Amino acid sequence: AVVSTQSEEGVTELLFRTLKEDNVMHVNLYREHFSFINDLNKFSRSYRCNICSKLFSTSFGQRRHSASCNAATRNVYTGGAFEPNRTIFDKLADFGVDIPSELHFFPYRACFDIECALIRDTGVDNSIRVEFSAKHLLASISVCSNV
């Protein structure tokens, strides 16, 4: 048996395929119900590989591809894979200036957060070019530090 499912966009994905090659029965799984597929080519116009998500216009093309597909989806980024910027310590190391790792980061920290509420009544008249829609009203200030 071959069990497939079809998305609302009409893309068919293979869920299960028996090892048997000839005389297989095709069924569609929709929610918790199976339905018999008499003609697979009339059932769907696009077929997706379960491994790499590549789309095919025929079930034969999808089956042939799936037999040899071993790669996950490959994303192509115009600038290449993400690489973080080099730190000042990396750049100094290029010139032979080595700074101990315990000096790379400042041991103390301070964090500030200010929260405001937006009040509809601004108390300011609108002009031809500017419309005041809300006024920021200070709600809270948070400070966190290990100093």
Side-chain angles (χ1 to χ4, degrees):
V2 175
V3 180
S4 303
T5 186
Q6 192 174 57
S7 68
E8 291 184 17
E9 293 83 27
V11 176
T12 301
E13 288 191 52
L14 183 70
L15 296 177
F16 172 79
R17 180 171 182 79
T18 184
L19 296 176
K20 199 166 111 174
E21 289 296 323
D22 58 334
N23 198 18
V24 294
M25 178 177 65
H26 294 276
V27 292
N28 174 45
L29 176 63
Y30 178 71
R31 296 189 182 166
E32 298 174 1
H33 303 284
F34 288 103
S35 60
F36 176 69
I37 302 171
N38 190 28
D39 186 355
L40 195 58
N41 292 324
K42 289 181 182 176
F43 173 70
S44 180
R45 293 183 185 207
S46 60
Y47 303 85
R48 179 176 309 190
C49 175
N50 292 356
I51 300 169
C52 69
S53 297
K54 186 174 180 179
L55 291 174
F56 298 89
S57 59
T58 64
S59 62
F60 173 77
Q62 187 269 340
R63 231 180 16 256
R64 182 179 59 190
H65 168 82
S66 293
S68 62
C69 181
N70 60 0
T73 302
R74 294 183 190 105
N75 294 326
V76 178
Y77 299 100
T78 56
F82 173 75
E83 189 174 316
N85 294 332
R86 297 183 49 163
T87 66
I88 187 68
F89 304 108
D90 296 332
K91 293 176 183 176
L92 286 171
D94 291 344
F95 293 100
V97 179
D98 292 320
I99 298 175
S101 60
E102 61 270 6
L103 296 178
H104 283 203
F105 300 99
F106 194 65
Y108 304 107
R109 69 173 187 276
C111 301
F112 304 91
D113 184 36
I114 298 174
E115 300 294 331
C116 292
L118 294 174
I119 307 300
R120 289 274 179 212
D121 181 27
T122 62
V124 179
D125 294 333
N126 295 332
S127 69
I128 295 171
R129 296 184 183 182
V130 179
E131 178 182 340
F132 295 96
S133 59
K135 175 181 176 181
H136 283 79
L137 185 64
L138 181 63
S140 67
I141 299 175
S142 301
V143 179
C144 176
S145 174
N146 67 348
V147 177

